[in-house]
Amino acid sequence: MTTAAPSLDFGPYLDVSVHSSAGADAPQRLENQDNYLVIDSAGSAVFLYEQAVQRQQVAGWPGGHMRVAVLDGMGGHGRGREAAEAVVGGLLDMPACHTLGELSARLDLLHAQLQEEFGCDPVTGKRPGTTLTMLELRSGKPVLLYHVGDSRLYEIIDTQVIPMTIDHVPATAFAMGGLLGEHEWWQQVHGEHRCQISQAFILGNAFANPAELADGLYELSPRNLPSYLYHLPDRRALELDPHAVYLLASDGFWACADPGAWLARWPALFKAQPDARAMTDALFAEMSSNPPPELHIDNLTAIVLRPLVHDDTAAPIASEQLCGGEP
């Protein structure tokens, strides 16, 4: 099953597109446990419920404020789709956030509430979980990033594909403990396909104590990250480069034997496209017709954000300019 979102209003300075699929050449029965949320500058929202696209108007949404998020439910723990849907529901109810502290506090509270609501599966003893990688696009200020899990935000500029988030996986825990150097960490996280995760929304974290799963979320920041990852804290404000394209995506896009070689194809693929919708279409078409070797079939969800450059001398833009395009 493949689902493309209906058109939304992001104004003249940002072009956005979102697309989700059960997987490249996935069997008919494969459930799409991914989800997404896009709220445009007028408060119109699109998301998935029971694998179908839904549209909803968010009451009281401030004009010019926007929110985008990608979620990947943990199927191996059961109720992955339901966990992702529940978080999307919480994001729909959550007011527009204007500071990083407010965003973090509201999401930590949502995590705790849903953790209590879901509990643990009586059969497996496991707790469900989902990744959450989101951007809060504020009027007149830098974008706010909030990240949990191993979905990713990428910046694609010229021939470079630059990860803007850190995967919450065992290799990161080892790096934080001084057991992995920079080269080894990059190889394990970005040069190989591994399916373990150390933290997820609702699930909790294994960073605080690798021997047990703690209830709370463990924020990765310069206080606990190795020096080569200081610049990628989970919760931070960032400027969008008007000459770049940004991709929020679930890990099905790099679940292959050589992720680096596959990602190196993205800049040329995107550069050939006229807008964000064409970029998402091209990415999904490439996954289907010319996939990377040894691709593991997994759900695929992507949101493309393309700042629209009206002046070649423009500085990196804050979200007072981010209100444009149609997905």
Side-chain angles (χ1 to χ4, degrees):
M1 178 183 293
T2 299
T3 56
S7 297
L8 295 172
D9 178 16
F10 282 85
Y13 290 98
L14 188 68
D15 182 19
V16 177
S17 178
V18 57
H19 204 78
S20 186
S21 166
D25 298 322
Q28 198 78 23
R29 67 185 182 279
L30 184 64
E31 182 180 46
N32 186 1
Q33 299 192 340
D34 281 3
N35 213 316
Y36 60 78
L37 174 65
V38 177
I39 304 177
D40 73 6
S41 59
S44 184
V46 291
F47 54 95
L48 298 180
Y49 184 73
E50 294 185 351
Q51 306 180 74
V53 178
Q54 308 292 318
R55 188 158 192 164
Q56 176 179 320
Q57 184 63 35
V58 180
W61 191 256
H65 196 103
M66 293 161 282
R67 177 176 294 160
V68 297
V70 162
L71 306 93
D72 180 355
M74 296 175 60
H77 280 226
R79 297 181 292 169
R81 176 179 61 79
E82 291 87 345
E85 288 176 352
V87 176
V88 167
L91 295 177
L92 283 166
D93 291 338
M94 188 174 80
C97 295
H98 300 283
T99 68
L100 196 58
E102 179 188 9
L103 179 65
S104 295
R106 288 189 181 277
L107 286 170
D108 287 348
L109 178 60
L110 177 62
H111 164 78
Q113 290 172 337
L114 291 178
Q115 195 172 77
E116 182 176 355
E117 177 182 320
F118 274 89
C120 293
D121 188 284
V123 177
T124 65
K126 293 181 178 180
R127 182 185 287 158
T130 179
T131 70
L132 173 61
T133 303
M134 66 173 287
L135 295 175
E136 191 84 349
L137 301 159
R138 306 173 296 167
S139 179
K141 297 180 180 179
V143 173
L144 300 178
L145 167 69
Y146 184 98
H147 169 69
V148 178
D150 63 353
S151 296
R152 294 175 184 168
L153 170 67
Y154 278 106
E155 181 181 70
I156 301 165
I157 185 165
D158 298 325
T159 60
Q160 295 182 297
V161 181
I162 304 166
M164 305 291 283
T165 52
I166 298 171
D167 287 12
H168 293 176
V169 294
T172 300
F174 295 146
M176 291 162 60
L179 302 177
L180 277 185
E182 181 174 4
H183 175 76
E184 292 83 5
W185 182 86
W186 281 95
Q187 174 59 32
Q188 290 192 25
V189 175
H190 293 282
E192 304 170 7
H193 168 54
R194 301 185 179 214
C195 57
Q196 290 179 291
I197 193 166
S198 295
Q199 175 164 242
F201 211 86
I202 304 177
L203 176 71
N205 87 84
F207 283 128
N209 180 357
E212 63 181 23
L213 189 66
D215 290 340
L217 293 174
Y218 192 88
E219 177 185 357
L220 305 191
S221 74
R223 295 188 303 274
N224 50 46
L225 288 168
S227 59
Y228 56 87
L229 296 174
Y230 277 2
H231 63 298
L232 297 175
D234 290 337
R235 309 174 189 187
R236 71 185 190 272
L238 57 88
E239 301 277 2
L240 300 187
D241 188 323
H243 302 285
V245 171
Y246 294 86
L247 176 70
L248 289 87
S250 57
D251 68 345
F253 280 103
W254 47 89
C256 58
D258 188 356
W262 161 236
L263 267 64
R265 289 158 50 182
W266 290 3
L269 185 70
F270 281 20
K271 188 175 181 180
Q273 310 308 322
D275 55 32
R277 184 183 290 274
M279 290 175 183
T280 52
D281 288 347
L283 182 60
F284 276 81
E286 190 79 356
M287 288 291 289
S288 179
S289 64
N290 189 23
E294 300 180 47
L295 178 66
H296 174 74
I297 295 177
D298 197 1
N299 301 155
L300 302 170
T301 299
I303 300 176
V304 169
L305 297 93
R306 185 177 70 103
L308 302 177
V309 180
H310 294 269
D311 177 0
D312 288 340
T313 65
I317 57 179
S319 52
E320 62 186 344
Q321 299 168 298
L322 298 181
C323 37
E326 154 180 307

